[in-house]
């Protein structure tokens, strides 16, 4: 497997200090320039935005702790200010920190948190970067299909945001991921698309990155002259741009080409040069140590081979399922096998073979888990040699057969792919031939038509006039019908839009009242209940969002929503006694009611009827069915509407409650839309002339519920 050659990832692993003419690094100059903007910024958003940029460049300098401290500071300040863009960028920088510490799980979590915020902001550029990095993590873990999926999502956002640079990066990344799966046709398609987008090498670092990946594909296709050509192009562009870490990667790939050609001395020379560059730039030595271990094995320098393989394993031990380990274990296994073959002492030889078997089985386990058949094949080949050297010919034969089976499977897959390409080409050629025949036939028919036209000109002209008149009459009639239909549809859409508008007003009304309740608890310093209220309020908002576009919901859903809402009100009014009586015969999963139909009445009963009452506070909700409707009753033992209105006039002058008014308008629209009216009655209850509460009755006809259910099913079907 090749290295994870991804722009952000390699920038963190291999980026060395880029020197300008004054001796100061370009990164340092960039950070100084950004710090100057921060120092002079008058707006907090501008200051936090540029602090996030500084944090990113600190990551590029490998100052990971400095980047982390700054990201955590900016994250907290952004939260305090409600600056969502600052939060998203700070989370992205924290993810890069965890990535640099090889905590890919935490990095994924932070990237996903950033995605959630950027989706809410509609920030296409931010989403592009987040999905690129998520794709990079999948790539590093060997989950190439998941990586391609993330890259394609990022490509969509980059196109929406007009982000040319990231479009270049993403075509490269998709091509590279296809190459890791052995799909070289798709790989070169995307890689050359990336190169074409950057045809003048304006973005030298990206031009170099894409050239390096094209060289890698040609290396795998054993087209070594083309591979060396593109690796050298990449090396020179990286060197000109000042990224020495990338230069080391190109030199390592050039060494691999020489190794494939059997030129071990030249390969070793390039590998050692690559290692020197990595050490100087603070890059990872894992991959080049694998290369050195393998080349030393070819040269029978087994001590040096084991030293390099052991170093790689030590660095990769936190990523036990990483496909790079397959290469390391396989290389070490072959080193033990060859070393055993040269060993004269029988006991030492057997020990070396056992060591080979141990590490090769580890490589085989990961290869099978990842479905990397090429690696399986290589392990089977070496195991066959090991058991042959141990004179266990039965196992040697078994592994040789497995080697042959996997080789045949890979060959068949390759042949099937080639056959599919030939079939596609054949179908295209046939389609072109058919099109040519159709064109010839069309020309012949045109000649015949011209000949007949001369004979039938007068008759044809007469027929044309008659048809023209008939068509005109038909079009006129059809346009009249269409106008009538469009007018009816326009009326229907206007009613529907007005309903949506009213529902949109109800939710802010409810949220305003809920936030007032939370504010009251906070002012009373009731921390436990305010935290509990906030938690349940968040859950309630999720239900509201899920049902936001639905004009009707099932009675069951309305009841679940009410139970959650009432649990919030119980936190505010602990002594509130609520009873919910449901008729067992009521089919709550069939009957439908307008979304949030009951909540405004219940809220009104609690806030205006019960909140100001001393003593026992009771709220009773009853649901049952009569002959042709579902009935809802809301009864409270509050102070009554008259007294509530007086209190409201005294303490809340200028405030006008919208909930009941909006609901009344909404019921009127539903009546016009469906031809069925929702009956609502509000009755003041008295005991010996004194108010003892209010009773609200709501009747939803079965016909309205059935029409709503059919409409919902039609909507779900068409969507």
């Amino acid at each position: 497997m090749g290295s994870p050659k991804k722009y952000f990832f390699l920038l963190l692993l291999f980026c060395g200090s880029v020197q300008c003419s004054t001796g100061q690094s370009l990164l340092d100059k960039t950070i100084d320039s950004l710090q100057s903007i921060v120092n002079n910024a008058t707006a907090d958003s501008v200051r936090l935005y540029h602090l996030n940029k500084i944090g990113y460049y600190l990551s590029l300098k490998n100052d990971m702790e400095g980047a982390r401290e700054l990201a955590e500071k900016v994250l907290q300040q952004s939260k305090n200010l409600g600056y969502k863009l600052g939060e998203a960028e700070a989370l992205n920088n924290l993810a890069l920190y965890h990535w640099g510490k090889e905590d890919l799980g935490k990095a994924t979590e932070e990237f996903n948190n950033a995605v959630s915020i950027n989706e809410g902001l509609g920030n296409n550029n931010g989403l592009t970067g987040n999905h690129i990095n998520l794709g990079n993590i999948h790539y590093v873990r060997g989950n190439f299909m998941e990586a391609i999926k993330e890259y394609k999502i990022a490509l969509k956002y980059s196109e929406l945001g007009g982000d040319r640079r990231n479009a270049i990066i993403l075509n490269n990344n998709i091509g590279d991921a296809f190459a890791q799966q052995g799909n070289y046709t798709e790989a070169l398609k995307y890689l050359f698309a990336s190169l074409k987008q950057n045809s003048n090498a304006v973005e030298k670092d990206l031009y170099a990155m894409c050239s390096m990946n094209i060289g890698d594909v040609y290396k795998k296709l054993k087209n070594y002259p083309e591979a060396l050509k593109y690796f050298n192009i990449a090396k020179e562009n990286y060197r000109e741009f000042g990224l020495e870490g990338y230069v080391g990667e190109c030199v390592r790939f050039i060494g691999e080409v020489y190794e494939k050609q059997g030129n071990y001395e030249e390969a070793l020379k390039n590998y050692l040069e690559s290692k020197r560059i990595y050490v100087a730039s603070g890059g990872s030595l894992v991959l080049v140590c694998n290369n050195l271990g393998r080349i030393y094995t070819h040269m029978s320098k087994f001590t040096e081979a084991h030293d390099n393989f052991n170093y790689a394993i030590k660095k990769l031990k936190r990523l036990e399922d990483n496909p790079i380990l397959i290469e390391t274990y396989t290389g070490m296994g072959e080193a033990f096998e060859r070393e055993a073959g040269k060993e004269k002492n029988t006991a030492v030889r057997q020990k070396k073979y056992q060591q080979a078997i141990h590490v090769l089985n580890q490589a085989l386990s990961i290869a099978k888990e990842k479905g990397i058949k090429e690696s399986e094949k290589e392990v089977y080949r070496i195991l066959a040699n090991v058991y042959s050297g141990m004179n266990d010919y039965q196992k040697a034969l078994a592994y040789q057969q497995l080697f042959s089976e996997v080789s045949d499977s890979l060959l068949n897959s390759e042949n099937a792919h080639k056959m599919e390409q030939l079939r596609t080409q054949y179908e295209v050629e046939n389609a072109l031939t058919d099109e040519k025949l159709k064109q010839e036939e069309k020309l012949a028919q045109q000649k015949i038509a011209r000949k007949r036209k001369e004979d039938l000109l007068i008759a044809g002209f007469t027929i044309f006039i008659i048809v023209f008149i008939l068509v005109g009459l038909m079009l006129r009639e059809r346009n009249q019908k269409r106008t009538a239909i469009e007018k009816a549809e326009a009326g229907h859409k206007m009613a529907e839009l007005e309903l949506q508008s009213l529902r949109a007003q109800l939710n802010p009304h409810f949220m305003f009242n809920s936030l007032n309740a939370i504010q009251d608890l906070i002012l009373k310093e009731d921390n436990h209940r305010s935290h509990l209220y906030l938690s349940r309020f968040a859950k309630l908002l999720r239900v509201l969002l899920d049902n936001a576009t639905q004009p009707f919901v099932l009675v069951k859903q309305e009841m679940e929503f009410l139970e959650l809402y009432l649990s919030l009100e119980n936190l505010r009014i602990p002594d509130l006694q609520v009873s919910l009586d449901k008729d067992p015969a009521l089919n709550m999963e069939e009957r439908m009611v307008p979304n949030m139909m009951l909540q405004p009445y219940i809220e009104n009963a609690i806030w205006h009827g019960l909140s100001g009452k001393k003593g026992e506070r009771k709220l009773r909700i009853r649901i049952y069915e009569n002959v042709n409707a579902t009935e809802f009753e809301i009864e409270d033992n509050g102070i009554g509407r008259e007294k509530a209105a007086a209190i409201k006039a005294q303490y809340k002058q200028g405030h006008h409650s919208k909930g009941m008014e909006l609901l009344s308008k909404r019921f009127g629209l539903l009546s016009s839309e469906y031809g069925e009216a929702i009956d609502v009655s509000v009755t003041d209850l008295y005991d010996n002339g004194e108010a003892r509460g209010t009773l609200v009755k709501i009747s939803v006809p079965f016909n309205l519920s059935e029409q709503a259910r059919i409409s919902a099913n039609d909507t779900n079907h068409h969507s």
Side-chain angles (χ1 to χ4, degrees):
M1 172 186 162
S3 66
K5 305 174 293 298
K6 293 294 164 290
Y7 183 69
F8 289 103
F9 180 60
L10 278 182
L11 216 52
L12 294 176
L13 288 181
F14 301 118
C15 183
S17 180
V18 184
Q19 298 296 321
C20 63
S21 58
T22 63
Q24 183 187 24
S25 75
L26 290 178
L27 288 175
D28 286 336
K29 282 195 71 178
T30 302
I31 291 170
D32 289 345
S33 175
L34 290 169
Q35 188 62 56
S36 176
I37 296 173
V38 169
N39 294 339
N40 295 309
T42 56
D44 287 328
S45 59
V46 174
R47 179 177 58 82
L48 294 172
Y49 175 83
H50 288 90
L51 282 174
N52 271 325
K53 292 294 182 186
I54 292 173
Y56 175 70
Y57 285 113
L58 287 175
S59 297
L60 299 189
K61 283 187 64 181
N62 278 329
D63 183 1
M64 303 306 293
E65 291 304 321
R68 177 189 61 79
E69 290 177 7
L70 185 56
E72 289 176 346
K73 173 184 174 183
V74 174
L75 179 62
Q76 189 57 53
Q77 291 183 10
S78 297
K79 285 181 177 179
N80 293 340
L81 292 168
Y83 179 43
K84 291 294 183 182
L85 182 61
E87 281 188 56
E89 289 300 316
L91 286 168
N92 192 75
N93 286 344
L94 280 176
L96 292 176
Y97 164 77
H98 291 299
W99 191 347
K101 294 296 184 180
E102 299 183 11
D103 188 350
L104 299 185
K106 187 65 175 175
T108 300
E109 179 185 338
E110 300 292 19
F111 281 135
N112 280 320
N113 289 338
V115 166
S116 297
I117 295 175
N118 282 322
E119 283 178 344
L121 295 172
N123 180 11
N124 292 330
N125 288 333
L127 287 166
T128 299
N130 296 152
H131 284 289
I132 287 176
N133 284 324
L134 286 169
N136 292 345
I137 289 178
H138 283 302
Y139 182 101
V140 172
R141 285 174 161 168
N143 302 323
F144 300 117
M145 285 308 299
E146 288 299 315
I148 290 169
K149 176 183 174 183
E150 292 290 345
Y151 292 147
K152 287 187 174 180
I153 293 172
L155 185 59
K156 178 191 72 174
Y157 283 120
S158 71
E159 290 169 349
L160 288 172
D163 190 341
R164 173 181 166 275
R165 179 177 173 85
N166 273 327
I168 295 171
I169 292 171
L170 286 160
N171 275 306
N172 169 83
N173 289 5
I174 294 169
D176 190 24
F178 274 122
Q180 297 303 328
Q181 293 183 305
N183 190 344
Y184 301 127
T185 302
E186 283 296 299
L188 289 175
K189 168 186 166 184
Y190 280 97
L191 290 171
F192 278 113
S194 176
L195 211 59
K196 185 177 179 181
Q197 288 174 306
N198 193 15
S199 56
N200 295 324
V202 176
E203 310 277 3
K204 287 191 177 295
D205 56 333
L206 302 187
Y207 195 84
M209 175 178 65
C210 189
S211 299
M212 185 165 67
N213 286 340
I214 292 173
D216 194 37
V217 172
Y218 278 127
K219 181 188 70 175
K220 290 169 181 174
L221 290 170
K222 299 182 181 179
N223 187 342
Y224 299 128
E226 286 297 301
L228 286 172
K229 169 187 169 183
Y230 280 98
F231 285 144
N232 279 303
I233 289 172
K235 181 179 72 174
E236 294 307 316
N237 276 275
Y238 278 136
R239 181 159 283 153
E240 185 175 347
F241 196 74
L243 294 175
E244 282 300 309
Y246 283 117
V247 174
E249 186 76 347
C250 292
V251 173
R252 189 177 71 80
F253 279 136
I254 291 170
E256 287 185 348
V257 173
Y258 284 120
E259 182 183 349
K260 295 286 185 183
Q261 292 177 310
N263 188 344
Y264 299 140
E265 292 295 337
E266 194 64 29
L268 178 61
K269 174 183 172 184
N270 279 276
Y271 289 151
L272 290 173
E273 174 64 12
S274 175
K275 184 176 182 179
R276 183 194 66 75
I277 294 172
Y278 287 156
V279 170
S281 61
S284 171
L285 301 180
V286 168
L287 296 170
V288 75
C289 282
N290 275 343
N291 294 131
L292 286 167
R294 196 169 55 245
I295 207 70
Y296 281 130
T297 299
H298 286 306
M299 301 174 77
S300 298
K301 296 181 178 181
F302 300 115
T303 300
E304 291 88 342
H306 290 311
D307 287 345
N308 281 279
F309 285 132
N310 281 320
Y311 177 88
I313 289 172
K314 181 180 178 182
K315 290 296 181 182
L316 292 167
K317 65 181 179 180
R318 293 179 61 185
L319 300 170
E320 287 299 328
D321 65 340
N322 194 302
I324 299 174
L325 273 171
I326 302 173
E327 180 182 341
T328 310
Y329 286 137
T330 303
M332 179 174 276
E334 186 165 27
F336 279 126
E337 183 267 327
R338 293 198 181 190
E339 187 177 6
K342 294 180 178 293
E343 180 60 52
K344 302 297 183 182
N345 185 297
T346 303
V348 175
R349 182 168 64 251
Q350 290 300 316
K351 181 180 178 182
K352 296 292 181 185
Y353 279 135
Q354 289 298 331
Q355 289 174 310
I357 292 169
H358 175 70
V359 293
L360 288 169
N361 280 330
Q362 290 178 283
L364 185 60
S365 174
I366 302 173
K368 284 183 175 180
E369 180 185 344
K370 295 294 180 183
I372 306 175
K373 292 291 184 182
E374 193 66 44
S375 297
E376 273 190 60
K377 183 185 77 171
E378 183 66 9
V379 173
Y380 289 143
R381 179 187 68 79
I382 302 169
L383 281 170
N385 291 339
V386 169
Y387 283 110
S388 178
M390 296 173 70
N391 298 324
D392 188 342
Y393 299 113
Q394 183 177 0
K395 286 187 177 180
L397 177 60
Y399 280 111
Q400 186 62 40
Q401 288 174 336
L402 287 171
F403 170 78
S404 299
E405 288 172 6
V406 175
S407 297
D408 291 343
S409 172
L410 290 169
L411 182 61
N412 289 337
S413 296
E414 184 178 353
N415 288 337
H417 181 66
K418 289 180 180 177
M419 288 296 292
E420 181 63 21
Q421 287 180 321
L422 290 173
R423 184 185 67 77
T424 304
Q425 185 177 354
Y426 172 76
E427 289 177 354
V428 170
E429 289 174 354
N430 273 353
L432 291 173
T433 302
D434 291 342
E435 185 62 28
K436 184 178 179 181
L437 291 173
K438 288 178 182 177
Q439 290 295 332
E440 291 175 353
E441 184 179 352
K442 185 177 179 180
L443 289 172
Q445 289 176 347
Q446 287 175 346
K447 289 179 181 179
I448 295 171
R450 281 195 298 268
K451 178 85 167 48
R452 289 177 178 174
K453 184 178 178 181
E454 295 173 0
D455 299 331
L456 302 173
L457 182 59
I458 296 175
F461 182 74
T462 304
I463 293 170
F464 172 77
I465 294 297
I466 295 170
V467 170
F468 181 79
I469 293 171
L470 291 173
V471 169
L473 293 172
M474 290 172 62
L475 287 173
R476 180 182 176 186
E477 183 179 358
R478 188 175 69 178
N479 286 337
Q480 287 174 341
K481 290 181 179 179
R482 181 185 297 168
T483 301
I485 292 171
E486 287 177 349
K487 186 175 180 181
E489 288 180 348
H492 175 79
K493 288 180 180 177
M494 285 299 293
E496 185 176 43
L497 287 171
E498 192 167 358
L499 273 173
Q500 291 176 357
S501 175
L502 290 174
R503 289 203 311 275
Q505 293 177 62
L506 277 171
N507 289 350
H509 173 74
F510 161 70
M511 286 189 282
F512 177 80
N513 286 341
S514 296
L515 290 172
N516 275 343
I518 294 170
Q519 184 183 35
D520 288 342
L521 290 173
I522 292 173
L523 290 174
K524 292 175 182 176
E525 298 185 356
D526 192 341
N527 293 332
H528 174 72
R529 286 203 296 157
S530 62
H531 290 166
L532 191 57
Y533 201 119
L534 277 171
S535 173
R536 293 185 182 177
F537 180 62
K539 185 176 180 181
L540 195 78
L541 287 182
R542 171 55 61 188
V543 176
L544 279 173
L545 290 173
D546 289 343
N547 295 337
T549 59
Q550 301 180 42
F552 287 86
V553 295
L554 295 171
V555 172
K556 178 183 177 181
Q557 291 175 284
E558 184 75 353
M559 290 304 98
E560 290 172 350
F561 172 80
L562 285 179
E563 287 173 357
L564 184 56
Y565 167 72
L566 288 168
S567 73
L568 289 177
E569 293 293 16
N570 258 130
L571 288 174
R572 188 175 65 86
I573 310 173
D575 61 347
L576 179 64
Q577 300 177 34
V578 180
S579 64
L580 182 57
D581 302 324
K582 294 174 279 190
D583 184 354
L586 173 63
N587 191 342
M588 296 176 62
E589 296 188 353
E590 277 290 326
R591 301 299 182 201
M592 300 195 78
V593 296
N595 185 12
M596 273 189 72
M597 180 186 78
L598 300 177
Q599 186 272 336
Y601 291 105
I602 294 172
E603 182 183 90
N604 198 59
I606 293 172
W607 283 75
H608 302 299
L610 295 172
S611 289
K613 183 179 185 298
K614 296 181 180 180
E616 194 174 49
R617 308 182 200 188
K618 291 184 178 180
L619 177 67
R620 185 178 183 185
I621 303 166
R622 294 186 291 276
I623 310 167
Y624 57 92
E625 289 187 350
N626 60 25
V627 178
N628 57 8
T630 306
E631 302 286 348
F632 301 83
E633 293 184 2
I634 303 165
E635 181 180 347
D636 67 77
N637 69 336
I639 61 177
R641 288 191 294 171
E642 184 177 348
K643 188 173 181 181
I647 293 173
K648 181 177 175 182
Q650 181 178 358
Y651 293 106
K652 296 187 177 181
Q653 294 180 1
H655 172 72
H656 181 55
S657 178
K658 290 285 187 181
M660 307 293 287
E661 178 186 337
L662 292 173
L663 209 50
S664 178
K665 288 183 181 180
R666 186 177 172 198
F667 288 167
L669 282 171
L670 289 173
S671 176
S672 301
E673 174 71 11
Y674 293 97
E676 292 284 346
I678 297 175
D679 291 329
V680 180
S681 67
V682 182
T683 305
D684 293 313
L685 303 177
Y686 291 94
D687 188 4
N688 295 326
E690 288 194 10
R692 66 172 185 84
T694 308
L695 174 63
V696 179
K697 291 186 177 181
I698 307 169
S699 180
V700 181
F702 291 159
N703 286 341
L704 177 61
S705 174
E706 182 63 18
Q707 289 184 61
R709 189 174 63 81
I710 293 170
S711 176
N713 288 338
D714 288 344
T715 301
N716 292 334
H717 173 72
H718 291 301
S719 62

